[in-house]
RNA sequence: CGGGGCGUAGCGCAGCCUGGUAGCGCACCUGCCUUGGGCGCAGGGGGUCGGGCGUUCAAAUCGCCCCGCCCCGACCA
């Protein structure tokens, strides 16, 4: 393509609204323009990258025998009402009415639609297994779109769904996807983590997320550098660090003491001179019709997902101040488990075996010392604690670190949730009706582009991996008034195209500095500079990554670059 | 939905406090010049100052209301 004919609106300055690096560079590189919050137009460079990413995804999905469909983006409400998600999705779902007043929505995901297809058509175990996928625009009315293409209201997702006769079949489909995803992300040149994920209250037995470590990330991943264990913080298990001070010995009785205006763990620690880990943190929670007192070590945090899992509830909330006073007889800041009979008491495992700790006395401005679980109150023990940086790895004894990360893919054993609720049945070999088991697998395509830029950039701009760069090579004649350079560059353009390369010819009548800056900013992996060495029969090949430059004979350069590009895509 | 910030030319910003001719840099157009890292000189075009209402002889500037965008939090199959 001839650059002089293209619309690639690069920006010298960074637009004020862009905070994260990928957003800044996508705007500056002329990849995207915003239409509205979380809604973007993809210009030529972005579209070309997206098409390359899409092609890689398609190849790898086809390789595992998945079949590509394209499902509607516009769905009638009834389908979502059947699965119960019309209500569940709440304000995150875009809804609209047609001219007859019937409710429709824009698809956020396609489990329902796939299941409708399957139940209408699948009749026999002989038709299983199936893996169906699509590459579709999804719509989600995010409460807060942000970070360029990282969190948006309209985006492209590859989503696939597997249908199997039994759990062993699902295991196989899941495993195929795991390997396909690894190939996809490898081919896109990403450095990523595969982490255990929380599978929600959907009966899912297993779930993994593919994450790219990034400061722009919204998830936290606990990772052990020693053994490679990695899990979403929601789910991560760990070995708590030892309490900062040993518990007092002996079979001591709880003893009240005055703690005027000391409400927080930190204030009580300072007042008593004992570390936070010697205290019990008491949280009064309301989960459905249950009143719960959750106990943690003073320096630990409650994991909301673990709490829900432990109690088998979907959601909970902190009790209101009036409820706390009514249930506990005191206000937050002086709460503890001793003498509490009307609430369910759950304690984190880290409290098991502890003795003579500090807890609230359920009398304002008083605490108790010498509180011992199992003696002074009877808790049910669960893993309720959120893992923290510096905790021990539960698998190898190494040390866990926490990293921010962006989720780029998620594979998920759905189980029978949709097939059951929406009535998908097939006959098995014995002629009995059985419910197929499903899996669901997603990849956010824009996030591949965004995280790649996040991962690979320098002060001059984007440094995309060759397989997903909008162009593979740019030819830059330094002086367009030089007939020799112009002719040589034009001839080279033909040769590179003939060699099958994605080549851009910067034939613009611009100063060399402008062309170099633009090529760097957009992130074209190789640049062939046709300039002052041409009389010696030489041109320069500059690699965007690292800026290394080599002189190559004009007649050899097409093969030279083709070999480099070929190696990078292999 | 709570908290904060911003909205003036395509982009980055000043002007607003203290009301009176709308400005700077970059980009854009024309000409000359220049050609190895966002040249130089000269000339030029482009703005309902986010919108509405109000105060005033007079509003980008003061007041009220609304909208949009960004950030933090809440939320996030």
């Amino acid at each position: 393509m001839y650059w002089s004919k293209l619309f690639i609106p690069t920006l010298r300055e960074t637009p004020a609204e862009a905070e994260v690096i990928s957003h800044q560079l996508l705007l500056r590189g002329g990849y995207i323009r915003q239409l509205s919050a979380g809604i973007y137009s993809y210009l030529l460079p972005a579209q070309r990258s997206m098409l390359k990413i899409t092609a890689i995804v398609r190849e790898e999905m086809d390789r595992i025998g998945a079949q590509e469909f394209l499902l509607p983006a516009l769905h009638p409400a009834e389908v979502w009402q059947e699965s119960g998600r019309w209500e569940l999705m709440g304000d995150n779902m875009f809804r609209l009415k047609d001219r007859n007043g019937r409710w429709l929505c824009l698809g956020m995901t396609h489990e329902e639609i796939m299941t409708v297809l399957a139940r209408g058509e699948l009749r026999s175990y002989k038709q299983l297994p199936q893996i169906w996928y699509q590459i579709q625009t999804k719509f989600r009315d995010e409460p807060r779109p942000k970070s360029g293409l990282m969190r948006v209201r309209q985006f492209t997702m590859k989503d696939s769904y597997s249908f199997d006769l039994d759990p062993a079949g699902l295991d196989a489909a899941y495993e195929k996807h795991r390997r396909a995803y690894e190939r996809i992300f490898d081919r896109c040149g990403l450095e990523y983590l595969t982490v255990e994920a929380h599978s929600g209250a959907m009966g899912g037995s297993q779930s993994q997320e593919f994450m790219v470590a990034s400061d722009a990330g919204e998830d936290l991943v606990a990772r052990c550098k020693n053994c490679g264990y990695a899990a979403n913080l929601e789910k991560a298990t760990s070995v708590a660090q030892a309490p900062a001070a040993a518990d007092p010995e002996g079979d001591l009785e709880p003893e009240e003491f005055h703690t005027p205006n000391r409400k927080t763990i930190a204030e009580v620690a300072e007042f008593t001179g004992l570390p936070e880990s010697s205290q019990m943190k008491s949280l009064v929670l309301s989960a459905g019709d249950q009143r719960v007192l959750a106990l943690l070590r003073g320096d630990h945090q409650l994991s909301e997902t673990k709490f829900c899992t432990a109690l088998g509830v979907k959601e909970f909330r902190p009790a209101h101040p009036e409820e706390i006073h009514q249930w506990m007889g005191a206000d937050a800041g002086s709460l503890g488990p001793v003498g509490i009979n009307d609430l369910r008491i759950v304690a984190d495992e880290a409290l098991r075996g502890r003795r003579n700790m500090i807890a609230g006395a359920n009398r304002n401005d008083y605490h108790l010392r010498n509180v011992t679980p199992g003696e002074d109150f009877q808790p049910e023990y669960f893993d309720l604690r959120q893992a923290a940086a510096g905790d021990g790895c539960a698998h190898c004894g190494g040390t866990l670190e926490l990293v921010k990360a962006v989720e780029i893919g998620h594979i998920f054993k759905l189980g029978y949730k949709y097939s059951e609720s929406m009535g998908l049945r097939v006959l098995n070999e014995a002629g009995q009706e059985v419910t197929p088991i499903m899996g669901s697998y997603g990849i956010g395509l824009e996030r591949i582009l965004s995280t790649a830029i996040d991962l690979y950039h320098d002060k001059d701009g984007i440094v995309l991996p060759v397989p997903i760069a909008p162009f593979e090579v740019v030819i830059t004649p330094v002086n367009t008034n030089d007939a020799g350079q112009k002719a040589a560059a034009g001839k080279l353009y033909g040769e590179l195209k003939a060699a099958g390369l994605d080549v851009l010819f910067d034939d613009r009548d611009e100063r060399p500095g402008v062309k170099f800056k633009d090529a760097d900013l957009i992130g074209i992996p190789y640049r062939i500079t046709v300039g002052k060495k041409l009389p010696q029969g030489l041109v320069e090949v500059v690699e965007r990554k690292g800026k290394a430059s080599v002189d190559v004979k004009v007649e050899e350069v097409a093969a030279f670059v083709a070999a480099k590009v070929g190696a990078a895509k292999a």
Side-chain angles (χ1 to χ4, degrees):
Chain A
M1 297 180 115
Y2 290 81
W3 199 323
S4 64
K5 304 280 190 290
L6 302 181
F7 178 64
I8 304 179
T10 56
L11 263 26
R12 187 185 296 222
E13 291 174 284
T14 303
E17 73 260 22
E19 188 96 344
V20 307
I21 193 76
S22 66
H23 189 194
Q24 294 178 352
L25 290 175
L26 284 166
L27 287 170
R28 285 194 55 209
Y31 278 66
I32 61 171
R33 286 295 183 264
Q34 179 169 306
L35 179 63
S36 178
I39 304 178
Y40 287 87
S41 302
Y42 303 166
L43 310 188
L44 182 82
Q47 176 63 358
R48 290 181 67 91
S49 274
M50 288 293 289
L51 286 172
K52 291 190 179 188
I53 292 166
T54 303
I56 291 171
V57 169
R58 186 171 278 131
E59 279 176 35
E60 295 302 336
M61 291 308 296
D62 291 348
R63 191 199 296 273
I64 62 170
Q67 306 155 66
E68 183 169 4
F69 296 0
L70 182 64
L71 305 185
L74 196 56
H75 307 165
E78 291 75 22
V79 180
W80 286 80
Q81 284 160 348
E82 264 191 75
S83 70
R85 293 209 292 181
W86 181 260
E87 303 296 330
L88 196 68
M89 290 305 190
D91 289 337
N92 267 16
M93 183 181 253
F94 280 107
R95 298 161 206 255
L96 64 158
K97 271 186 190 174
D98 70 12
R99 61 171 67 206
N100 296 316
R102 300 169 63 87
W103 280 104
L104 303 164
C105 67
L106 297 179
M108 320 175 53
T109 173
H110 283 72
E111 279 83 0
E112 281 82 357
I113 314 306
M114 282 287 186
T115 309
V116 166
L117 254 186
R119 78 174 169 199
E121 311 294 333
L122 296 178
R123 294 280 175 261
S124 158
Y125 73 96
K126 292 177 189 167
Q127 292 170 295
L128 299 181
Q130 293 286 334
I131 298 174
W132 298 343
Y133 80 100
Q134 63 166 348
I135 296 169
Q136 234 299 11
T137 303
K138 307 279 176 170
F139 301 88
R140 295 182 189 181
D141 194 359
E142 290 289 342
R144 185 146 88 84
K146 57 187 268 202
S147 307
L149 296 184
M150 293 283 194
R151 180 166 289 280
V152 287
R153 297 197 291 172
Q154 169 173 350
F155 59 99
T156 316
M157 180 181 246
K158 186 291 299 178
D159 50 322
S160 44
Y161 305 87
S162 64
F163 300 89
D164 285 279
L165 198 58
D166 51 38
L170 174 59
D171 290 346
Y174 183 89
E175 189 57 22
K176 278 183 182 177
H177 276 89
R178 197 180 58 73
R179 288 201 302 266
Y181 278 32
E182 286 171 359
R183 277 194 296 266
I184 288 165
F185 301 133
D186 285 341
R187 285 183 62 187
C188 290
L190 297 178
E191 290 168 48
Y192 58 93
L193 295 161
T194 310
V195 312
E196 290 177 26
H198 179 67
S199 43
M202 303 176 76
S205 52
Q206 196 178 1
S207 167
Q208 280 176 304
E209 289 167 340
F210 295 80
M211 311 279 259
V212 174
S214 162
D215 281 340
E218 299 178 299
D219 288 293
L220 281 169
V221 171
R223 175 169 66 171
C224 173
K225 273 191 174 159
N226 190 40
C227 71
Y229 169 78
N232 194 306
L233 186 61
E234 289 181 343
K235 157 128 186 174
T237 56
S238 68
V239 178
Q241 293 162 279
D247 292 335
E249 290 297 325
D251 195 4
L252 306 173
E253 284 304 309
E255 176 186 319
E256 202 173 71
F257 62 106
H258 193 42
T259 49
N261 287 319
R262 270 61 173 201
K263 294 191 185 308
T264 67
I265 297 279
E267 286 164 359
V268 174
E270 203 222 330
F271 183 73
T272 59
L274 290 169
E276 297 188 358
S277 57
S278 294
Q279 293 182 50
M280 268 178 228
K281 178 183 285 186
S282 302
L283 303 171
V284 182
L285 306 168
S286 172
D289 52 6
Q290 296 189 73
R291 302 167 175 187
V292 185
L293 178 63
L295 301 174
L296 291 135
R297 206 170 88 183
D299 58 330
H300 289 163
Q301 295 292 319
L302 177 72
S303 161
E304 298 186 9
T305 41
K306 287 181 182 178
F307 178 83
C308 286
T309 305
L311 272 81
V313 298
K314 260 187 158 170
E315 54 186 8
F316 69 95
R317 60 168 175 83
H320 302 308
E322 316 82 68
E323 291 171 332
I324 291 178
H325 194 87
Q326 188 187 338
W327 300 349
M328 305 291 291
D331 297 316
S334 303
L335 303 177
V338 177
I340 297 300
N341 300 313
D342 295 342
L343 279 73
R344 183 170 174 189
I345 303 179
V346 297
D348 179 61
E349 291 289 352
L351 294 178
R352 198 192 282 272
R354 295 291 303 276
R355 300 193 63 76
N356 301 322
M357 299 179 70
I358 307 280
N362 296 323
R363 178 180 166 199
N364 283 351
D365 289 329
Y366 285 88
H367 279 73
L368 296 176
R369 58 172 64 94
N370 304 330
V371 177
T372 301
E375 294 179 7
D376 301 314
F377 65 96
Q378 298 299 331
E380 303 168 64
Y381 288 104
F382 294 101
D383 176 17
L384 298 175
R385 180 179 58 92
Q386 188 171 79
D391 281 358
C393 173
H395 297 76
C396 76
T399 304
L400 291 187
E401 57 173 3
L402 293 188
V403 290
K404 278 175 147 184
V406 176
E407 179 185 346
I408 53 173
H410 193 171
I411 57 177
F412 190 61
K413 291 186 181 175
L414 277 181
Y416 300 98
K417 177 179 164 68
Y418 297 93
S419 45
E420 185 72 56
S421 66
M422 300 184 69
L424 168 59
R425 308 274 185 275
V426 300
L427 293 183
N428 67 10
E429 215 166 344
Q432 299 157 326
E433 261 197 353
V434 294
T435 303
I437 187 166
M438 293 173 59
S440 148
Y441 318 86
I443 293 179
L445 299 197
E446 284 86 351
R447 285 187 173 182
I448 292 181
L449 178 59
S450 294
T451 54
I453 292 170
D454 198 66
L455 238 25
Y456 311 116
H457 66 270
D458 61 19
K459 64 174 172 46
D460 292 314
I462 297 170
V463 190
L464 278 180
V466 174
I468 63 172
F471 296 95
E472 290 164 347
V473 53
V474 57
I475 304 168
T476 308
V478 169
N479 184 347
T480 35
N481 293 325
D482 183 320
Q485 286 185 19
K486 214 170 175 177
K491 183 156 174 282
L492 256 183
Y493 176 62
E495 291 174 17
L496 289 162
K497 275 215 314 199
L501 292 171
D502 237 334
V503 51
L504 180 58
F505 181 16
D506 195 351
D507 60 332
R508 294 176 299 168
D509 184 18
E510 286 285 357
R511 295 180 57 83
V514 172
K515 300 195 204 184
F516 294 157
K517 288 287 185 193
D518 273 346
D520 287 351
L521 178 58
I522 291 168
I524 303 172
Y526 296 98
R527 186 181 80 217
I528 300 174
T529 308
V530 180
K532 59 193 173 196
K533 294 170 191 161
L534 189 62
Q536 289 93 62
L538 295 175
V539 294
E540 285 165 41
V541 175
V542 182
E543 195 166 344
R544 175 67 183 84
K545 183 182 179 180
K547 299 280 183 72
S549 168
V550 287
D551 293 338
V552 180
K553 288 181 184 161
V554 186
E555 59 273 18
E556 293 171 6
V557 73
F560 179 83
V561 173
K564 289 236 175 210
V565 167
K569 289 205 284 188

